[in-house]
Amino acid sequence: GSYGVSFSIGPDLAWTLTAGVARRHALSCFAAATIAEHDAAVVALLRTIGIDDEGVGQALKDIRERRGLMPVSWPSPHLQWRPSVTLAGKPFLLTTVDGATTGQCGPGEVRSHAVGVLAAITAVRLDTDLRAVLQQEFGLDEARARAFVHTLQDHWPPDPWSG
């Protein structure tokens, strides 16, 4: 047997992430959050030198055209984060599913999601190795080894990546 990480958006969209795809997804989350924050800092900087909203908007448009698409991959063509900045200069990300905007969130929320993805793929690998040792070294059958690994959650810190 093996373990995997699944990612779903609502009842109709779901896919299994390989470790490589999950890492690329996490990278895309970090990149999108950083782009939104960078753009917000650019807005703030341009305003310090007296550039009006129209000029700031044009500068962001020009920067984004130069930037092009960042070299990151999304786990599916269905989901995308679109880095944005409010008129007040606050960074945020629009969430789009199949091209339709479905919501928005802050850079911190996207980074937290990325950390959760990375933690999940790491835990999958650790659990797989533990199960193998339980079977090979201690002679547990697959069902008992899986059950034993499942009880690991009872000994795990309540929020292991909060610091």
Side-chain angles (χ1 to χ4, degrees):
S2 63
Y3 294 89
V5 176
S6 294
F7 189 92
S8 63
I9 300 173
D12 300 326
L13 286 175
W15 55 98
T16 299
L17 302 180
T18 64
V21 170
R23 280 190 292 275
R24 286 191 307 274
H25 172 65
L27 174 61
S28 73
C29 293
F30 283 111
T34 301
I35 291 166
E37 291 170 332
H38 182 272
D39 289 354
V42 167
V43 168
L45 180 62
L46 291 175
R47 286 188 174 150
T48 67
I49 59 171
I51 306 295
D52 64 14
D53 286 347
E54 186 177 329
V56 168
Q58 184 61 49
L60 279 180
K61 181 179 180 283
D62 293 345
I63 290 167
R64 289 172 178 163
E65 285 175 4
R66 282 179 167 269
R67 180 187 299 148
L69 295 175
M70 295 299 290
V72 294
S73 298
W74 307 101
S76 164
H78 298 286
L79 170 69
Q80 291 193 343
W81 306 108
R82 195 167 71 224
S84 303
V85 180
T86 67
L87 291 175
K90 300 289 184 195
F92 70 100
L93 293 104
L94 288 173
T95 305
T96 62
V97 177
D98 288 333
T101 300
T102 58
Q104 68 182 47
C105 52
E109 293 169 292
V110 174
R111 277 197 191 89
S112 179
H113 166 75
V115 169
V117 168
L118 294 173
I121 62 171
T122 300
V124 164
R125 174 62 194 268
L126 296 171
D127 288 353
T128 300
D129 292 343
L130 173 59
R131 186 174 47 82
V133 167
L134 292 169
Q135 289 181 265
Q136 294 166 8
E137 302 297 323
F138 297 104
L140 272 67
D141 62 38
E142 186 169 341
R144 286 199 62 205
R146 282 182 182 271
F148 189 87
V149 170
H150 182 74
T151 64
L152 189 62
Q153 70 185 348
D154 298 335
H155 303 279
W156 201 263
D159 188 3
W161 40 80
S162 67

